[in-house]
């Protein structure tokens, strides 16, 4: 079974500063995907960034980057130049393709609050 | 806007009742997934359909069922509702059958179900 651990229930960051949200995962699969989603207070789940297990370079999408350390099984999300609109819950997830089962497994999330 | 639509946005009903949640995937996406988000269980995968066929089942109760229609929209049916079924129900869609770990799932805005 896949397991995702997000050890930071809540984080605060000053506006315009960078912040790192931690995520570790546990999988025995050779091929897997790692995803980060953002959930604002309005409730929708917004896809942010993806990293494949065979990707050698860390993924980047605008102000988001993923610090992927395969040997340590960690996939931390880095948000640069934080904005007030970044205040939200952030979920790390892994997609694995076990026999007959293709699903995202989510961590419990980190609540990020950006302080003006 | 992810391109995935869900109706209704909110649903309030009584215990013992039956409700139907509807989802339309992004244009071109063949896979539809249903997830439940509750305070105590977090985000949990319920079921996946690909091009009209059930592909994978997660923690879905026997009182719940789903289907995907020829036009690819999907419905999640919840019956004999209990207080504990109150949650945010998400539909997500992706292009492929998730046979590789790179396929990103895009989420709809969710349906908030309240069982009184």
């Amino acid at each position: 079974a896949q397991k995702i651990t997000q050890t930071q229930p809540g984080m605060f960051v000053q506006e315009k500063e960078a912040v790192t949200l931690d995520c570790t995962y546990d999988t025995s699969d050779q091929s897997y995907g790692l995803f980060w989603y953002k959930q604002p207070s309005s409730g929708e789940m917004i896809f942010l960034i993806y990293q494949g297990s065979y990707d050698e370079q860390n993924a980047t999408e605008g102000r988001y980057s993923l610090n992927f350390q395969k040997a340590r099984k960690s996939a931390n999300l880095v948000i640069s130049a934080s904005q007030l609109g970044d205040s939200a819950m952030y979920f790390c997830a892994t997609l694995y393709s076990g026999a007959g089962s293709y699903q995202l497994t989510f961590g419990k999330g980190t609540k990020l609050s950006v302080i003006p | 806007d992810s391109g995935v639509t869900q109706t209704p946005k909110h649903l309030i009903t009584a215990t013992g009742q039956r409700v139907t949640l509807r989802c339309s995937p992004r244009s071109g996406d063949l896979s539809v997934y249903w997830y439940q988000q509750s305070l105590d269980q977090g985000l949990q995968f319920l079921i996946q359909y690909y091009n009209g066929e059930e592909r994978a089942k997660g923690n879905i109760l026997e009182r719940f069922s789903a289907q995907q229609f020829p036009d690819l929209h999907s419905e999640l049916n919840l019956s004999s509702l209990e207080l504990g079924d109150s949650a945010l129900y998400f539909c997500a869609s992706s292009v492929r059958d998730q046979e590789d770990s790179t396929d990103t799932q895009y989420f709809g805005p969710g349906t908030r179900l309240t069982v009184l």
Side-chain angles (χ1 to χ4, degrees):
Chain A
Q2 311 293 304
K3 187 178 177 185
I4 295 277
T5 303
Q6 293 181 254
T7 57
Q8 307 150 315
M11 290 273 291
F12 289 90
V13 64
Q14 203 76 37
E15 195 178 4
K16 299 179 187 174
E17 298 290 313
V19 63
T20 297
L21 306 184
D22 294 342
C23 171
T24 58
Y25 57 93
D26 185 12
T27 179
S28 55
D29 284 11
Q30 294 301 308
S31 175
Y32 51 90
L34 294 154
F35 300 80
W36 278 91
Y37 287 86
K38 171 185 177 182
Q39 186 175 38
S41 57
S42 51
E44 70 268 33
M45 292 286 287
I46 302 167
F47 165 70
L48 294 178
I49 196 167
Y50 159 81
Q51 177 86 42
S53 58
Y54 289 116
D55 294 341
E56 293 189 355
Q57 289 202 319
N58 287 339
T60 59
E61 287 285 348
R63 294 186 298 111
Y64 304 109
S65 61
L66 204 152
N67 184 359
F68 181 47
Q69 297 184 47
K70 192 172 182 177
R72 301 173 89 174
K73 293 189 176 178
S74 83
N76 299 337
L77 177 70
V78 180
I79 306 174
S80 62
S82 297
Q83 301 172 355
L84 296 178
D86 294 334
S87 294
M89 284 290 291
Y90 288 81
F91 292 94
C92 179
T94 182
L95 180 69
Y96 76 104
S97 51
S101 176
Y102 310 99
Q103 57 182 278
L104 280 172
T105 300
F106 287 87
K108 293 190 181 302
T110 295
K111 183 173 182 179
L112 178 67
S113 299
V114 180
I115 306 165
Chain B
D1 187 346
S2 67
V4 180
T5 60
Q6 287 188 250
T7 56
K9 202 168 175 64
H10 300 277
L11 199 47
I12 301 174
T13 188
T15 54
Q17 295 298 305
R18 172 189 168 95
V19 297
T20 297
L21 313 183
R22 184 189 167 101
C23 166
S24 292
R26 294 186 320 157
S27 177
D29 284 0
L30 298 178
S31 272
V32 168
Y33 309 79
W34 287 97
Y35 292 85
Q36 179 195 59
Q37 185 180 32
S38 60
L39 281 174
D40 52 343
Q41 298 289 332
L43 266 158
Q44 289 204 324
F45 166 72
L46 296 178
I47 197 164
Q48 178 205 357
Y49 278 82
Y50 174 76
N51 205 18
E53 293 188 6
E54 183 184 303
R55 293 295 286 169
K57 263 186 173 179
N59 299 321
I60 188 166
L61 300 171
E62 284 192 13
R63 300 183 285 108
F64 296 0
S65 65
Q67 53 184 330
Q68 187 179 27
F69 295 86
D71 67 351
L72 301 177
H73 91 271
S74 178
E75 292 180 358
L76 179 67
N77 300 296
L78 315 177
S79 62
S80 303
L81 285 167
E82 302 175 359
L83 295 177
D85 297 328
S86 295
L88 188 52
Y89 290 85
F90 285 108
C91 165
S93 74
S94 71
V95 173
R96 294 188 290 273
D97 191 16
Q98 300 286 171
E99 284 186 351
D100 71 81
S101 56
T102 65
D103 202 19
T104 298
Q105 294 181 26
Y106 293 90
F107 282 69
T111 293
R112 186 168 295 280
L113 173 67
T114 303
V115 182
L116 301 174

